[in-house]
Amino acid sequence: MTVESVQPETPPAVELREPPRAGGGVPVLGHGWKLACDPLAFMSRLRDHGDVVRLKLGPKTVYAVTTPALTGALALSNDFIIAGPLWESLEGLLGKQGVATANGPVHRRQRRTIQPAFRLDAIPAYGPIMEEEAHALTERWKPGETIDCTSESFRVAVRIAARCLLRGDYMDERAERLCVALATVFRGMYRRMVVPLGPLYNLPLPANREFNRALADLHLLVDEIVAERRASGQKPDDLLTALLEATDENGDPIGEQEIHDQVVAILTPGSETIASTIMWLLHMLAEHPEHADRVRDEVQAVTGGRPVAFADVRGLTHTNNVVVESMRLSPAVWILTRRAVRDTELGGYRIPSGADIIYSPYAIQRDPKSYERNLEFDPDRWLPDRVKDIPKHAMSPFSVGNRKCPSDHFSMAQLTLVTAALATRYRFEQVPGSKDATRVGITLRPHDLRVRPVPR
Ligand code: HEM
């Protein structure tokens, strides 16, 4: 081997292509109309037009990425950051200094602060709270009564996030207020993000008043929680202590606003995503009784009939697969966005600096090119001998790269435990008037799912 032969070769200059334009645009609005009317169907059809396609949203060009491999490349590349109009409106409502919207060195520092609370080895400490909340949910419900799945799912999601991450005796009453505030804020927030009518949202209409009250209460609650923790002098080993003791790049304590915005930035994605996923899990248990029975059988085999515990989660492989399959078909997070910070490329296509890019985990996870019988609910596709056929990044509900959800282990543990507790105690039936059509908001969830628990 000669010295020359190990010299790195200069990569040949690749001619970058302009991504094709998606069909179906209309004058003035471009593709905005279709995206607004039926975003899931629209996003799901984009791959027919190319791996990367150009969309016109009014006067603006937006790029959509449609293949699993390229969504992975996008999420893993440093050429793209979190930014864009949707993020800006989110910052306006929830705060500018939280981890979900920060970029660069501030984001890295913030991730270092919060990460220990979500590490795999930190999760068992949350086990008793997750167990308590999962069983409390089934104990609250009376056989035969109608369960409002939206409020009940929110309730358990907020209580688990708040009690685990912001520990404290005060949390019981606060968790209830947080539930109400967060559920109302999420209802109004999506509309404000996609239909930015500015001052019209300040008109003294009942819906605006309710939204503003809930948003103010959310911020007030967070201030109260922080103030009480400080006043108590206690420093339990939790996320709030980590935030209160965090320092910035210069070693100075981080400011009050950043502590506040961080708590909001963790509680808000933490509750809406889990709540939506639990709604879909209840829907799945009602619509697929055969799978509900298999979950029950697995739990019984693992527990021998005692109440399911956190320590059992590791043995509940089928229940875990049921959760994953439910998340595949009905992902809470259905759209993600990035912005290019320099002229760059994706899959050989030219992406100019400043371009906004979108992709849809919903479309990726339901794509027939990635999944056989793509619309069938089949938890066994996650068995080890079949999972290898699924393309990389075709199922990344928590994303990958530096913006990956910090809470993947925390989320999967609680979702598996809640599903196990629900399926062991009850079968579920949808009741007349239940509306299980998909409601598109910041997350995807059923419009108004109502079920009746029937004791096993
Ligand atoms: C980020 C999904 C639960 C906190 C993300 C992202 C995804 C995601 C896809 C990345 C967003 C992007 O790439 O732009 C989910 C799903 C959940 C879940 C599917 C449950 C089913 C939670 C929970 C918490 C949480 C329970 C906290 C208690 C966060 C935070 C970020 C994030 C703070 C921002 C991370 C960053 O930008 O560095 N989540 N999440 N998530 N998630 Fe989750």
Side-chain angles (χ1 to χ4, degrees), residues 137 141 146-158 179-180 182-184 186-187 271-272 274-280 282 434-437 439 443 445-451:
L137 189 67
W141 297 347
T146 295
I147 304 298
D148 172 352
C149 297
T150 311
S151 59
E152 288 296 291
S153 303
F154 246 102
R155 190 169 184 282
V156 69
V158 173
C179 285
V180 176
L182 281 170
T184 312
F186 273 114
R187 261 202 312 274
S271 47
E272 169 86 0
I274 294 281
S276 304
T277 307
I278 293 176
M279 288 174 226
W280 287 121
L282 279 161
S434 167
K435 298 191 190 95
D436 65 355
R439 170 187 170 282
T443 60
R445 57 159 116 142
H447 258 282
D448 183 12
L449 182 69
R450 292 181 182 250
V451 297

mmCIF file of all heavy atoms in Angstrom, residues 137 141 146-158 179-180 182-184 186-187 271-272 274-280 282 434-437 439 443 445-451:
data_model
loop_
_atom_site.group_PDB
_atom_site.id
_atom_site.type_symbol
_atom_site.label_atom_id
_atom_site.label_comp_id
_atom_site.label_asym_id
_atom_site.label_seq_id
_atom_site.Cartn_x
_atom_site.Cartn_y
_atom_site.Cartn_z
ATOM 1 N N LEU A 137 -55.645 5.406 39.087
ATOM 2 C CA LEU A 137 -56.504 5.677 37.933
ATOM 3 C C LEU A 137 -57.597 4.606 37.833
ATOM 4 O O LEU A 137 -58.777 4.920 37.698
ATOM 5 C CB LEU A 137 -55.630 5.660 36.677
ATOM 6 C CG LEU A 137 -56.243 6.123 35.375
ATOM 7 C CD1 LEU A 137 -56.538 7.618 35.461
ATOM 8 C CD2 LEU A 137 -55.269 5.879 34.222
ATOM 9 N N TRP A 141 -62.116 4.700 38.853
ATOM 10 C CA TRP A 141 -63.185 4.404 37.905
ATOM 11 C C TRP A 141 -64.117 3.344 38.475
ATOM 12 O O TRP A 141 -63.690 2.348 39.056
ATOM 13 C CB TRP A 141 -62.604 3.875 36.592
ATOM 14 C CG TRP A 141 -61.731 4.882 35.909
ATOM 15 C CD1 TRP A 141 -61.642 6.221 36.209
ATOM 16 C CD2 TRP A 141 -60.833 4.658 34.835
ATOM 17 N NE1 TRP A 141 -60.740 6.835 35.380
ATOM 18 C CE2 TRP A 141 -60.217 5.893 34.521
ATOM 19 C CE3 TRP A 141 -60.472 3.541 34.093
ATOM 20 C CZ2 TRP A 141 -59.288 6.033 33.511
ATOM 21 C CZ3 TRP A 141 -59.535 3.676 33.086
ATOM 22 C CH2 TRP A 141 -58.947 4.908 32.792
ATOM 23 N N THR A 146 -69.155 6.112 32.636
ATOM 24 C CA THR A 146 -68.494 6.591 31.410
ATOM 25 C C THR A 146 -67.250 7.382 31.779
ATOM 26 O O THR A 146 -67.300 8.301 32.592
ATOM 27 C CB THR A 146 -69.473 7.478 30.608
ATOM 28 O OG1 THR A 146 -70.550 6.659 30.173
ATOM 29 C CG2 THR A 146 -68.787 8.090 29.395
ATOM 30 N N ILE A 147 -66.137 6.985 31.186
ATOM 31 C CA ILE A 147 -64.864 7.659 31.468
ATOM 32 C C ILE A 147 -64.594 8.696 30.384
ATOM 33 O O ILE A 147 -64.591 8.365 29.196
ATOM 34 C CB ILE A 147 -63.699 6.627 31.436
ATOM 35 C CG1 ILE A 147 -63.955 5.471 32.400
ATOM 36 C CG2 ILE A 147 -62.367 7.293 31.720
ATOM 37 C CD1 ILE A 147 -64.045 5.860 33.829
ATOM 38 N N ASP A 148 -64.366 9.925 30.814
ATOM 39 C CA ASP A 148 -63.927 10.965 29.881
ATOM 40 C C ASP A 148 -62.399 10.794 29.736
ATOM 41 O O ASP A 148 -61.625 11.214 30.600
ATOM 42 C CB ASP A 148 -64.283 12.340 30.471
ATOM 43 C CG ASP A 148 -63.679 13.482 29.662
ATOM 44 O OD1 ASP A 148 -62.871 13.209 28.743
ATOM 45 O OD2 ASP A 148 -64.003 14.642 29.955
ATOM 46 N N CYS A 149 -62.003 10.149 28.642
ATOM 47 C CA CYS A 149 -60.595 9.740 28.509
ATOM 48 C C CYS A 149 -59.658 10.942 28.411
ATOM 49 O O CYS A 149 -58.497 10.853 28.812
ATOM 50 C CB CYS A 149 -60.415 8.843 27.287
ATOM 51 S SG CYS A 149 -61.355 7.334 27.451
ATOM 52 N N THR A 150 -60.153 12.070 27.878
ATOM 53 C CA THR A 150 -59.268 13.224 27.723
ATOM 54 C C THR A 150 -58.820 13.725 29.088
ATOM 55 O O THR A 150 -57.621 13.842 29.371
ATOM 56 C CB THR A 150 -59.981 14.355 26.947
ATOM 57 O OG1 THR A 150 -60.559 13.797 25.783
ATOM 58 C CG2 THR A 150 -59.026 15.472 26.577
ATOM 59 N N SER A 151 -59.784 14.003 29.971
ATOM 60 C CA SER A 151 -59.375 14.580 31.255
ATOM 61 C C SER A 151 -58.663 13.539 32.128
ATOM 62 O O SER A 151 -57.705 13.859 32.829
ATOM 63 C CB SER A 151 -60.572 15.202 31.987
ATOM 64 O OG SER A 151 -61.533 14.218 32.209
ATOM 65 N N GLU A 152 -59.086 12.287 32.051
ATOM 66 C CA GLU A 152 -58.443 11.267 32.882
ATOM 67 C C GLU A 152 -56.994 11.006 32.441
ATOM 68 O O GLU A 152 -56.120 10.788 33.271
ATOM 69 C CB GLU A 152 -59.250 9.967 32.833
ATOM 70 C CG GLU A 152 -60.560 10.041 33.582
ATOM 71 C CD GLU A 152 -60.359 10.257 35.078
ATOM 72 O OE1 GLU A 152 -59.870 9.347 35.744
ATOM 73 O OE2 GLU A 152 -60.711 11.344 35.566
ATOM 74 N N SER A 153 -56.777 11.034 31.127
ATOM 75 C CA SER A 153 -55.412 10.783 30.638
ATOM 76 C C SER A 153 -54.502 11.954 30.995
ATOM 77 O O SER A 153 -53.346 11.766 31.391
ATOM 78 C CB SER A 153 -55.409 10.580 29.115
ATOM 79 O OG SER A 153 -56.260 9.523 28.783
ATOM 80 N N PHE A 154 -55.033 13.163 30.842
ATOM 81 C CA PHE A 154 -54.258 14.351 31.231
ATOM 82 C C PHE A 154 -53.889 14.272 32.706
ATOM 83 O O PHE A 154 -52.770 14.575 33.118
ATOM 84 C CB PHE A 154 -55.073 15.624 30.987
ATOM 85 C CG PHE A 154 -54.457 16.465 29.916
ATOM 86 C CD1 PHE A 154 -54.972 16.464 28.636
ATOM 87 C CD2 PHE A 154 -53.344 17.231 30.179
ATOM 88 C CE1 PHE A 154 -54.383 17.208 27.638
ATOM 89 C CE2 PHE A 154 -52.743 17.985 29.196
ATOM 90 C CZ PHE A 154 -53.273 17.974 27.920
ATOM 91 N N ARG A 155 -54.878 13.868 33.484
ATOM 92 C CA ARG A 155 -54.700 13.840 34.931
ATOM 93 C C ARG A 155 -53.510 12.937 35.308
ATOM 94 O O ARG A 155 -52.608 13.351 36.029
ATOM 95 C CB ARG A 155 -55.999 13.294 35.532
ATOM 96 C CG ARG A 155 -56.099 13.401 36.973
ATOM 97 C CD ARG A 155 -57.516 13.096 37.425
ATOM 98 N NE ARG A 155 -57.548 13.319 38.840
ATOM 99 C CZ ARG A 155 -57.067 12.460 39.689
ATOM 100 N NH1 ARG A 155 -56.572 11.314 39.276
ATOM 101 N NH2 ARG A 155 -57.075 12.739 40.973
ATOM 102 N N VAL A 156 -53.517 11.720 34.790
ATOM 103 C CA VAL A 156 -52.453 10.791 35.193
ATOM 104 C C VAL A 156 -51.106 11.256 34.631
ATOM 105 O O VAL A 156 -50.069 11.165 35.314
ATOM 106 C CB VAL A 156 -52.801 9.325 34.826
ATOM 107 C CG1 VAL A 156 -52.794 9.083 33.338
ATOM 108 C CG2 VAL A 156 -51.839 8.352 35.487
ATOM 109 N N ALA A 157 -51.109 11.820 33.420
ATOM 110 C CA ALA A 157 -49.839 12.269 32.822
ATOM 111 C C ALA A 157 -49.232 13.413 33.627
ATOM 112 O O ALA A 157 -48.034 13.400 33.951
ATOM 113 C CB ALA A 157 -50.082 12.718 31.376
ATOM 114 N N VAL A 158 -50.057 14.392 33.958
ATOM 115 C CA VAL A 158 -49.540 15.551 34.698
ATOM 116 C C VAL A 158 -49.100 15.127 36.097
ATOM 117 O O VAL A 158 -48.048 15.553 36.591
ATOM 118 C CB VAL A 158 -50.620 16.660 34.800
ATOM 119 C CG1 VAL A 158 -50.160 17.783 35.710
ATOM 120 C CG2 VAL A 158 -50.939 17.196 33.422
ATOM 121 N N CYS A 179 -53.301 20.265 35.840
ATOM 122 C CA CYS A 179 -54.065 19.522 34.828
ATOM 123 C C CYS A 179 -55.006 20.443 34.087
ATOM 124 O O CYS A 179 -55.042 20.457 32.851
ATOM 125 C CB CYS A 179 -54.963 18.473 35.474
ATOM 126 S SG CYS A 179 -54.119 17.083 36.041
ATOM 127 N N VAL A 180 -55.772 21.217 34.856
ATOM 128 C CA VAL A 180 -56.776 22.091 34.250
ATOM 129 C C VAL A 180 -56.077 23.127 33.385
ATOM 130 O O VAL A 180 -56.456 23.362 32.233
ATOM 131 C CB VAL A 180 -57.628 22.769 35.352
ATOM 132 C CG1 VAL A 180 -58.606 23.766 34.744
ATOM 133 C CG2 VAL A 180 -58.351 21.712 36.172
ATOM 134 N N LEU A 182 -53.017 23.136 32.009
ATOM 135 C CA LEU A 182 -52.326 22.615 30.823
ATOM 136 C C LEU A 182 -53.306 22.164 29.748
ATOM 137 O O LEU A 182 -53.116 22.433 28.564
ATOM 138 C CB LEU A 182 -51.413 21.452 31.216
ATOM 139 C CG LEU A 182 -50.087 21.864 31.854
ATOM 140 C CD1 LEU A 182 -49.372 20.663 32.432
ATOM 141 C CD2 LEU A 182 -49.191 22.552 30.829
ATOM 142 N N ALA A 183 -54.397 21.484 30.177
ATOM 143 C CA ALA A 183 -55.364 20.998 29.183
ATOM 144 C C ALA A 183 -55.963 22.179 28.420
ATOM 145 O O ALA A 183 -56.110 22.137 27.198
ATOM 146 C CB ALA A 183 -56.447 20.168 29.867
ATOM 147 N N THR A 184 -56.284 23.272 29.129
ATOM 148 C CA THR A 184 -56.894 24.436 28.468
ATOM 149 C C THR A 184 -55.873 25.141 27.574
ATOM 150 O O THR A 184 -56.182 25.533 26.450
ATOM 151 C CB THR A 184 -57.424 25.433 29.528
ATOM 152 O OG1 THR A 184 -58.173 24.683 30.477
ATOM 153 C CG2 THR A 184 -58.284 26.505 28.918
ATOM 154 N N PHE A 186 -53.278 23.886 26.070
ATOM 155 C CA PHE A 186 -53.002 23.121 24.853
ATOM 156 C C PHE A 186 -54.128 23.236 23.841
ATOM 157 O O PHE A 186 -53.883 23.276 22.639
ATOM 158 C CB PHE A 186 -52.724 21.654 25.185
ATOM 159 C CG PHE A 186 -51.289 21.434 25.508
ATOM 160 C CD1 PHE A 186 -50.890 21.067 26.770
ATOM 161 C CD2 PHE A 186 -50.327 21.627 24.538
ATOM 162 C CE1 PHE A 186 -49.557 20.893 27.073
ATOM 163 C CE2 PHE A 186 -48.985 21.450 24.825
ATOM 164 C CZ PHE A 186 -48.602 21.082 26.098
ATOM 165 N N ARG A 187 -55.370 23.287 24.356
ATOM 166 C CA ARG A 187 -56.502 23.424 23.424
ATOM 167 C C ARG A 187 -56.352 24.692 22.593
ATOM 168 O O ARG A 187 -56.527 24.684 21.390
ATOM 169 C CB ARG A 187 -57.818 23.469 24.216
ATOM 170 C CG ARG A 187 -58.546 22.142 24.248
ATOM 171 C CD ARG A 187 -60.024 22.320 24.538
ATOM 172 N NE ARG A 187 -60.320 23.196 25.652
ATOM 173 C CZ ARG A 187 -60.364 22.816 26.918
ATOM 174 N NH1 ARG A 187 -60.129 21.558 27.231
ATOM 175 N NH2 ARG A 187 -60.641 23.675 27.899
ATOM 176 N N SER A 271 -46.679 16.451 29.572
ATOM 177 C CA SER A 271 -48.057 16.070 29.877
ATOM 178 C C SER A 271 -48.875 15.825 28.614
ATOM 179 O O SER A 271 -49.578 14.814 28.513
ATOM 180 C CB SER A 271 -48.717 17.138 30.743
ATOM 181 O OG SER A 271 -48.455 18.399 30.209
ATOM 182 N N GLU A 272 -48.761 16.700 27.635
ATOM 183 C CA GLU A 272 -49.599 16.568 26.433
ATOM 184 C C GLU A 272 -49.288 15.276 25.656
ATOM 185 O O GLU A 272 -50.190 14.573 25.219
ATOM 186 C CB GLU A 272 -49.375 17.807 25.542
ATOM 187 C CG GLU A 272 -49.960 17.711 24.161
ATOM 188 C CD GLU A 272 -51.426 18.142 24.066
ATOM 189 O OE1 GLU A 272 -52.003 18.532 25.102
ATOM 190 O OE2 GLU A 272 -51.985 18.066 22.966
ATOM 191 N N ILE A 274 -47.833 12.429 26.734
ATOM 192 C CA ILE A 274 -48.210 11.205 27.458
ATOM 193 C C ILE A 274 -49.734 11.087 27.501
ATOM 194 O O ILE A 274 -50.290 10.002 27.298
ATOM 195 C CB ILE A 274 -47.635 11.226 28.897
ATOM 196 C CG1 ILE A 274 -46.104 11.162 28.845
ATOM 197 C CG2 ILE A 274 -48.207 10.109 29.746
ATOM 198 C CD1 ILE A 274 -45.513 9.787 28.600
ATOM 199 N N ALA A 275 -50.421 12.207 27.755
ATOM 200 C CA ALA A 275 -51.884 12.156 27.830
ATOM 201 C C ALA A 275 -52.462 11.658 26.503
ATOM 202 O O ALA A 275 -53.309 10.763 26.481
ATOM 203 C CB ALA A 275 -52.442 13.532 28.173
ATOM 204 N N SER A 276 -51.977 12.209 25.382
ATOM 205 C CA SER A 276 -52.505 11.783 24.077
ATOM 206 C C SER A 276 -52.232 10.295 23.852
ATOM 207 O O SER A 276 -53.087 9.570 23.345
ATOM 208 C CB SER A 276 -51.851 12.583 22.947
ATOM 209 O OG SER A 276 -52.044 13.944 23.158
ATOM 210 N N THR A 277 -51.044 9.854 24.243
ATOM 211 C CA THR A 277 -50.704 8.435 24.022
ATOM 212 C C THR A 277 -51.598 7.533 24.875
ATOM 213 O O THR A 277 -52.041 6.470 24.419
ATOM 214 C CB THR A 277 -49.209 8.195 24.345
ATOM 215 O OG1 THR A 277 -48.430 9.140 23.613
ATOM 216 C CG2 THR A 277 -48.770 6.798 23.964
ATOM 217 N N ILE A 278 -51.889 7.952 26.101
ATOM 218 C CA ILE A 278 -52.776 7.126 26.949
ATOM 219 C C ILE A 278 -54.187 7.077 26.349
ATOM 220 O O ILE A 278 -54.842 6.034 26.360
ATOM 221 C CB ILE A 278 -52.772 7.635 28.411
ATOM 222 C CG1 ILE A 278 -51.394 7.392 29.022
ATOM 223 C CG2 ILE A 278 -53.866 6.938 29.237
ATOM 224 C CD1 ILE A 278 -51.205 7.928 30.424
ATOM 225 N N MET A 279 -54.636 8.204 25.782
ATOM 226 C CA MET A 279 -55.960 8.176 25.116
ATOM 227 C C MET A 279 -55.973 7.130 24.011
ATOM 228 O O MET A 279 -56.914 6.356 23.873
ATOM 229 C CB MET A 279 -56.292 9.548 24.528
ATOM 230 C CG MET A 279 -56.630 10.583 25.577
ATOM 231 S SD MET A 279 -56.829 12.208 24.790
ATOM 232 C CE MET A 279 -55.889 13.231 25.899
ATOM 233 N N TRP A 280 -54.887 7.111 23.194
ATOM 234 C CA TRP A 280 -54.839 6.127 22.099
ATOM 235 C C TRP A 280 -54.716 4.706 22.640
ATOM 236 O O TRP A 280 -55.233 3.760 22.034
ATOM 237 C CB TRP A 280 -53.671 6.435 21.153
ATOM 238 C CG TRP A 280 -53.920 7.635 20.291
ATOM 239 C CD1 TRP A 280 -53.177 8.776 20.235
ATOM 240 C CD2 TRP A 280 -54.997 7.837 19.363
ATOM 241 N NE1 TRP A 280 -53.708 9.666 19.333
ATOM 242 C CE2 TRP A 280 -54.832 9.110 18.781
ATOM 243 C CE3 TRP A 280 -56.093 7.063 18.970
ATOM 244 C CZ2 TRP A 280 -55.714 9.635 17.833
ATOM 245 C CZ3 TRP A 280 -56.973 7.577 18.017
ATOM 246 C CH2 TRP A 280 -56.780 8.839 17.467
ATOM 247 N N LEU A 282 -56.074 3.627 25.437
ATOM 248 C CA LEU A 282 -57.430 3.245 25.864
ATOM 249 C C LEU A 282 -58.275 2.884 24.648
ATOM 250 O O LEU A 282 -59.061 1.924 24.672
ATOM 251 C CB LEU A 282 -58.083 4.407 26.630
ATOM 252 C CG LEU A 282 -57.664 4.518 28.095
ATOM 253 C CD1 LEU A 282 -57.971 5.907 28.645
ATOM 254 C CD2 LEU A 282 -58.389 3.448 28.921
ATOM 255 N N SER A 434 -69.181 8.635 21.978
ATOM 256 C CA SER A 434 -67.721 8.755 21.992
ATOM 257 C C SER A 434 -67.255 9.127 20.581
ATOM 258 O O SER A 434 -67.740 8.562 19.593
ATOM 259 C CB SER A 434 -67.116 7.408 22.396
ATOM 260 O OG SER A 434 -65.742 7.401 22.142
ATOM 261 N N LYS A 435 -66.337 10.101 20.511
ATOM 262 C CA LYS A 435 -65.846 10.504 19.169
ATOM 263 C C LYS A 435 -64.369 10.135 19.080
ATOM 264 O O LYS A 435 -63.523 10.799 19.694
ATOM 265 C CB LYS A 435 -66.009 12.012 18.984
ATOM 266 C CG LYS A 435 -67.451 12.473 19.035
ATOM 267 C CD LYS A 435 -67.552 13.916 18.566
ATOM 268 C CE LYS A 435 -68.927 14.467 18.846
ATOM 269 N NZ LYS A 435 -69.047 15.199 20.108
ATOM 270 N N ASP A 436 -64.093 9.057 18.325
ATOM 271 C CA ASP A 436 -62.706 8.589 18.303
ATOM 272 C C ASP A 436 -61.948 9.015 17.053
ATOM 273 O O ASP A 436 -60.821 8.585 16.837
ATOM 274 C CB ASP A 436 -62.629 7.064 18.502
ATOM 275 C CG ASP A 436 -63.272 6.293 17.364
ATOM 276 O OD1 ASP A 436 -63.867 6.926 16.461
ATOM 277 O OD2 ASP A 436 -63.178 5.055 17.373
ATOM 278 N N ALA A 437 -62.555 9.898 16.241
ATOM 279 C CA ALA A 437 -61.813 10.395 15.068
ATOM 280 C C ALA A 437 -60.597 11.181 15.551
ATOM 281 O O ALA A 437 -60.613 11.753 16.649
ATOM 282 C CB ALA A 437 -62.717 11.287 14.230
ATOM 283 N N ARG A 439 -58.079 13.971 16.207
ATOM 284 C CA ARG A 439 -58.112 15.434 16.303
ATOM 285 C C ARG A 439 -56.679 15.925 16.161
ATOM 286 O O ARG A 439 -55.791 15.509 16.910
ATOM 287 C CB ARG A 439 -58.673 15.821 17.679
ATOM 288 C CG ARG A 439 -58.569 17.287 18.036
ATOM 289 C CD ARG A 439 -59.002 17.429 19.488
ATOM 290 N NE ARG A 439 -58.740 18.742 20.012
ATOM 291 C CZ ARG A 439 -57.539 19.168 20.399
ATOM 292 N NH1 ARG A 439 -56.484 18.395 20.298
ATOM 293 N NH2 ARG A 439 -57.400 20.378 20.889
ATOM 294 N N THR A 443 -50.591 17.876 19.375
ATOM 295 C CA THR A 443 -50.416 16.421 19.270
ATOM 296 C C THR A 443 -51.645 15.846 18.570
ATOM 297 O O THR A 443 -52.640 16.550 18.377
ATOM 298 C CB THR A 443 -50.313 15.763 20.664
ATOM 299 O OG1 THR A 443 -51.515 16.052 21.377
ATOM 300 C CG2 THR A 443 -49.103 16.237 21.430
ATOM 301 N N ARG A 445 -54.732 13.252 18.930
ATOM 302 C CA ARG A 445 -55.457 12.472 19.930
ATOM 303 C C ARG A 445 -56.892 12.278 19.468
ATOM 304 O O ARG A 445 -57.337 12.959 18.541
ATOM 305 C CB ARG A 445 -55.418 13.171 21.272
ATOM 306 C CG ARG A 445 -55.973 14.583 21.225
ATOM 307 C CD ARG A 445 -56.364 15.000 22.601
ATOM 308 N NE ARG A 445 -55.605 16.096 23.100
ATOM 309 C CZ ARG A 445 -56.161 17.066 23.843
ATOM 310 N NH1 ARG A 445 -57.435 17.016 24.147
ATOM 311 N NH2 ARG A 445 -55.431 18.052 24.284
ATOM 312 N N PRO A 446 -57.628 11.354 20.097
ATOM 313 C CA PRO A 446 -59.025 11.209 19.686
ATOM 314 C C PRO A 446 -59.802 12.479 20.060
ATOM 315 O O PRO A 446 -59.479 13.118 21.069
ATOM 316 C CB PRO A 446 -59.522 10.024 20.514
ATOM 317 C CG PRO A 446 -58.340 9.440 21.209
ATOM 318 C CD PRO A 446 -57.241 10.445 21.182
ATOM 319 N N HIS A 447 -60.829 12.807 19.272
ATOM 320 C CA HIS A 447 -61.598 14.035 19.520
ATOM 321 C C HIS A 447 -62.177 14.077 20.929
ATOM 322 O O HIS A 447 -61.967 15.026 21.678
ATOM 323 C CB HIS A 447 -62.756 14.122 18.521
ATOM 324 C CG HIS A 447 -62.454 15.080 17.426
ATOM 325 N ND1 HIS A 447 -62.541 16.427 17.582
ATOM 326 C CD2 HIS A 447 -62.032 14.869 16.159
ATOM 327 C CE1 HIS A 447 -62.206 17.022 16.452
ATOM 328 N NE2 HIS A 447 -61.870 16.094 15.576
ATOM 329 N N ASP A 448 -62.906 13.041 21.265
ATOM 330 C CA ASP A 448 -63.541 13.017 22.600
ATOM 331 C C ASP A 448 -63.869 11.571 22.922
ATOM 332 O O ASP A 448 -65.015 11.127 22.795
ATOM 333 C CB ASP A 448 -64.820 13.877 22.561
ATOM 334 C CG ASP A 448 -65.479 13.949 23.922
ATOM 335 O OD1 ASP A 448 -64.847 13.532 24.921
ATOM 336 O OD2 ASP A 448 -66.640 14.410 23.988
ATOM 337 N N LEU A 449 -62.830 10.850 23.307
ATOM 338 C CA LEU A 449 -62.993 9.415 23.538
ATOM 339 C C LEU A 449 -63.663 9.179 24.884
ATOM 340 O O LEU A 449 -63.241 9.724 25.909
ATOM 341 C CB LEU A 449 -61.622 8.732 23.517
ATOM 342 C CG LEU A 449 -61.647 7.211 23.687
ATOM 343 C CD1 LEU A 449 -62.255 6.537 22.452
ATOM 344 C CD2 LEU A 449 -60.236 6.668 23.931
ATOM 345 N N ARG A 450 -64.708 8.373 24.859
ATOM 346 C CA ARG A 450 -65.393 8.004 26.109
ATOM 347 C C ARG A 450 -65.561 6.496 26.130
ATOM 348 O O ARG A 450 -66.031 5.905 25.158
ATOM 349 C CB ARG A 450 -66.754 8.688 26.187
ATOM 350 C CG ARG A 450 -66.509 10.181 26.342
ATOM 351 C CD ARG A 450 -67.698 11.016 26.463
ATOM 352 N NE ARG A 450 -67.238 12.403 26.540
ATOM 353 C CZ ARG A 450 -67.295 13.151 27.625
ATOM 354 N NH1 ARG A 450 -67.815 12.674 28.735
ATOM 355 N NH2 ARG A 450 -66.840 14.387 27.593
ATOM 356 N N VAL A 451 -65.140 5.885 27.218
ATOM 357 C CA VAL A 451 -65.228 4.424 27.305
ATOM 358 C C VAL A 451 -65.898 4.021 28.608
ATOM 359 O O VAL A 451 -65.973 4.798 29.562
ATOM 360 C CB VAL A 451 -63.830 3.753 27.226
ATOM 361 C CG1 VAL A 451 -63.154 4.021 25.894
ATOM 362 C CG2 VAL A 451 -62.939 4.181 28.387
#
